[in-house]
Amino acid sequence: MPEQDNAVQHRLSTEGADPLILNGINDANLSELGRVAGLRVFQRGEHMMLSGRVEEVERAVPVAQHMIELARTGVPFGNEEIERFFDAGRGGSGGIERLASAGSIQVPGPRKTITPKSEGQRQYLQAIDENDVVIGIGPAGTGKTYLAVAMAVDALFKKRVKRIILARPAVEAGENLGFLPGDLQEKIDPYLRPLYDALEDMIPADRLRRAMESRAIEIAPLAYMRGRTLQDAFVILDEAQNATNAQMKMFLTRLGLNSRAVITGDKTQIDLPRREDSGLVQIEQVLKGIEGIAFSYFSGADVIRHRLVKEIIRAYAAASGEATEDGSQA
């Protein structure tokens, strides 16, 4: 049977969708969908047209519908997200449908709406929603910290908790920083800057300043947690691979009533003198099987930074002979 005899044209309504978000600059998003799906994709009035073989159209429809829904809610996306959406739908597992039904996080800042961009991110958000303690483990660029902060901001502004506490171990990443000028806060701020960046992306500057002045939001080195009881709080420990075993136990035993904790880390970036001293490595064995504590694992497929970050992670894993975060040998 000639190939054109198996060709179809499918039409999807784009009514209410932001055309710039949906189509991209110079129709770049439509072109990318067409490339990954092996179709011709174009806009006609308030409809997106998918033209090609039946099998390719059937695989592309859920992805196209997801793109339309994102554009309707004002959530931007680009070429790399489209490729991830298509990957999520491979194998007939309903991955794109689960991603589309995962919902979104509403924040008061410039981003407004934050949605999971991969199956790993969707599972991570679900774990945070359903458990009091979640440990997110995976490579850089997978959104572990960013999504945890988004969930914390959402909980604070919905008054589910009274405060957010963000902590990081102050460990030098292979550099001798020497004597830093300024007061104590100015000395430790460089270690905590990534947490400030996430908050500033989600909360207007004036509201963030007031929240920090009232201590509704607090950012501090992990060592400052000792001796405290954290009640009605959403607590995040970032870069947990650099927390020692003793520090990790101390952090986990700070939790008080109506508090929840998210711990994030990357086992391939341990900066402690000895890998076995990492509290993140230890709790992976100690805490498994406890009800209310969930482990969420990310792989290279969840990397949402520049497309080359995935390849860089794989290259370093291959050079060192280590397994990648998804368990496969690089």
Side-chain angles (χ1 to χ4, degrees):
M1 181 184 293
E3 184 173 320
Q4 58 265 31
D5 291 347
N6 194 31
V8 298
Q9 189 170 90
H10 189 83
R11 181 170 63 178
L12 292 170
S13 173
T14 60
E15 184 179 0
D18 185 315
L20 182 58
I21 292 178
L22 178 60
N23 300 342
I25 297 174
N26 296 324
D27 291 341
N29 291 344
L30 300 184
S31 298
E32 179 66 8
L33 177 59
R35 184 189 71 79
V36 298
L39 300 171
R40 180 168 172 255
V41 182
F42 56 96
Q43 187 79 14
R44 180 173 292 169
E46 290 193 333
H47 292 89
M48 179 190 292
M49 311 299 293
L50 307 178
S51 179
R53 292 191 304 170
V54 173
E55 297 81 359
E56 278 73 11
V57 170
E58 287 178 346
R59 282 196 290 266
V61 165
V63 177
Q65 192 63 58
H66 186 50
M67 292 167 57
I68 293 168
E69 291 305 320
L70 290 176
R72 282 175 175 153
T73 55
V75 179
F77 56 88
N79 288 1
E80 293 175 18
E81 284 85 1
I82 293 169
E83 190 168 353
R84 279 194 295 273
F85 299 156
F86 200 80
D87 288 343
R90 293 185 193 273
S93 63
I96 189 65
E97 287 84 357
R98 290 195 299 272
L99 199 60
S101 64
S104 59
I105 307 168
Q106 303 298 320
V107 294
R111 284 292 300 274
K112 299 295 184 185
T113 304
I114 296 169
T115 58
K117 298 183 182 300
S118 70
E119 176 63 12
Q121 289 194 350
R122 184 195 68 80
Q123 293 177 0
Y124 180 56
L125 292 180
Q126 182 178 346
I128 294 174
D129 194 48
E130 297 175 352
N131 296 272
D132 289 334
V133 177
V134 174
I135 298 97
I137 299 175
T142 50
K144 302 183 299 295
T145 303
Y146 192 86
L147 291 174
V149 172
M151 290 290 279
V153 169
D154 180 62
L156 179 67
F157 283 93
K158 288 181 178 176
K159 301 188 184 303
R160 294 174 181 163
V161 296
K162 293 182 179 178
R163 54 183 173 160
I164 297 172
I165 299 174
L166 308 171
R168 263 190 165 203
V171 175
E172 296 171 346
E175 300 162 346
N176 184 4
L177 300 180
F179 177 79
L180 294 174
D183 59 22
L184 180 60
Q185 190 64 41
E186 290 171 331
K187 293 177 191 294
I188 63 176
D189 271 356
Y191 291 109
L192 307 175
R193 187 68 247 173
L195 299 175
Y196 286 105
D197 290 342
L199 286 170
E200 289 168 358
D201 199 33
M202 298 178 199
I203 305 176
D206 58 333
R207 295 182 71 174
L208 178 58
R209 184 182 65 254
R210 291 196 301 269
M212 297 193 72
E213 288 174 352
S214 67
R215 301 184 73 79
I217 298 177
E218 179 183 348
I219 305 178
L222 176 59
Y224 285 19
M225 298 296 105
R226 189 173 298 278
R228 302 179 63 181
T229 299
L230 308 175
Q231 298 189 25
D232 291 310
F234 196 118
V235 192
I236 299 173
L237 174 57
D238 190 33
E239 296 289 329
Q241 74 274 3
N242 290 326
T244 65
N245 294 326
Q247 286 177 323
M248 184 66 75
K249 180 180 178 182
M250 177 271 292
F251 173 81
L252 288 167
T253 54
R254 300 306 93 203
L255 292 181
L257 297 174
N258 192 40
S259 287
R260 55 179 51 202
V262 178
I263 297 167
T264 68
D266 178 359
K267 292 187 294 181
T268 69
Q269 296 194 32
I270 296 173
D271 299 314
L272 297 171
R274 298 192 311 163
R275 176 183 173 84
E276 56 268 29
D277 289 337
S278 171
L280 184 65
V281 173
Q282 185 187 56
I283 64 168
E284 196 176 12
Q285 305 302 321
V286 173
L287 299 184
K288 275 193 173 176
I290 298 178
E291 186 176 353
I293 299 178
F295 286 81
S296 188
Y297 292 92
F298 294 84
S299 71
D302 300 305
V303 172
I304 58 171
R305 290 181 185 167
H306 192 285
R307 64 178 181 81
L308 287 177
V309 173
K310 286 184 187 178
E311 301 305 320
I312 291 168
I313 291 170
R314 287 187 177 276
Y316 271 97
S320 63
E322 297 176 350
T324 57
E325 284 290 344
D326 57 7
S328 62
Q329 193 70 31

